[in-house]
Amino acid sequence: MLQNQSRVTAIMLIVSGYVLKFISYSFLTAVVLIGFTGLVFIYINVVGTDMSVLKYFGFLLPLDANGSGSITEKDIMRVYGVLSMGLFGVSVLWDWLKRWIKRSRAGSEPANADIHVEGEGVQALRRRLSNILKRILISSALITLIYVAVFVVIPSAPMATGENPLMLYPIMIVFLIIALIANVIFIGIDTAANKLINLGLSNFINQ
């Protein structure tokens, strides 16, 4: 009876972990889309307004061979949902591939050797915090670099007659801030999700 309860608890931990992970990837999707927006802005200002490259995204958006078309809010939400599911799916597959590779390399080691849950000692906590900080710094630096390039090309942005391109600075700054905040939230939730999944798998296998 107790063993069954332990298994149920382990399964609940695993399921909760993957639910949290999916939520975290909805924040990552926001980061990706805002970053992509910045790259498209740079492309338009450096290369030109020919966006025929977008035709390769025709399976998501109603675009013709020239990359043009009418995009509605419903289309944007569909892209957001599909991209979130895609990123989440790739993450899960990559996670399980890494576990399989570790088990294969372990050879004669116990099957759950790759699902080691570190103790909450000072050193373990420092390593975990260091890894989280490293993820935040690297990804935030990449986002910031994209928008620094955006700020550089804003003065040459093609605008309608009478409009000042400098008015784009506040908009892009807001985009940058949203992306940086969403990135931190993503990493925080994803770290908690991985902790729950590892704990659940460890408990389940040890039953």
Side-chain angles (χ1 to χ4, degrees):
M1 184 66 178
L2 290 176
Q3 186 176 16
N4 289 336
Q5 290 179 343
S6 297
R7 284 183 178 274
V8 170
T9 300
I11 292 173
M12 289 179 63
L13 286 172
I14 296 170
V15 172
S16 297
Y18 280 114
V19 170
L20 274 181
K21 182 173 279 288
F22 178 75
I23 293 173
S24 74
Y25 273 81
S26 67
F27 285 96
L28 177 62
T29 301
V31 176
V32 171
L33 290 178
I34 292 175
F36 182 72
T37 300
L39 292 174
V40 169
F41 184 85
I42 296 169
Y43 178 90
I44 291 174
N45 284 277
V46 175
V47 179
T49 56
D50 177 19
M51 296 299 296
S52 57
V53 67
L54 291 179
K55 66 184 179 181
Y56 299 109
F57 298 91
F59 65 98
L60 290 176
L61 296 171
L63 302 173
D64 56 27
N66 296 320
S68 61
S70 177
I71 300 175
T72 65
E73 292 181 2
K74 186 179 294 185
D75 296 323
I76 295 174
M77 293 306 297
R78 182 173 68 251
V79 170
Y80 197 96
V82 171
L83 187 56
S84 294
M85 288 296 298
L87 291 172
F88 172 71
V90 170
S91 169
V92 172
L93 290 175
W94 175 245
D95 183 53
W96 282 98
L97 177 61
K98 288 192 298 183
R99 295 181 191 281
W100 179 79
I101 292 175
K102 286 181 179 180
R103 282 200 298 269
S104 298
R105 290 178 176 177
S108 59
E109 293 183 13
N112 64 327
D114 64 312
I115 311 176
H116 174 66
V117 180
E118 294 181 346
E120 293 300 329
V122 175
Q123 293 300 323
L125 182 59
R126 285 179 178 174
R127 282 197 299 272
R128 188 174 297 113
L129 292 176
S130 175
N131 290 335
I132 294 173
L133 183 60
K134 186 183 298 183
R135 289 180 65 187
I136 291 175
L137 290 177
I138 293 175
S139 53
S140 296
L142 179 59
I143 298 167
T144 303
L145 183 62
I146 292 174
Y147 273 82
V148 166
V150 168
F151 297 150
V152 170
V153 301
I154 279 180
S156 61
M159 303 290 290
T161 303
E163 293 186 358
N164 188 347
L166 297 182
M167 295 300 295
L168 291 174
Y169 278 108
I171 297 174
M172 294 303 179
I173 289 173
V174 170
F175 279 3
L176 173 59
I177 292 173
I178 292 174
L180 291 175
I181 293 174
N183 180 57
V184 173
I185 295 174
F186 156 67
I187 293 175
I189 297 178
D190 186 57
T191 301
N194 290 333
K195 179 71 174 179
L196 286 177
I197 293 169
N198 287 337
L199 182 60
L201 287 173
S202 179
N203 292 343
F204 186 85
I205 291 176
N206 287 330
Q207 298 301 317

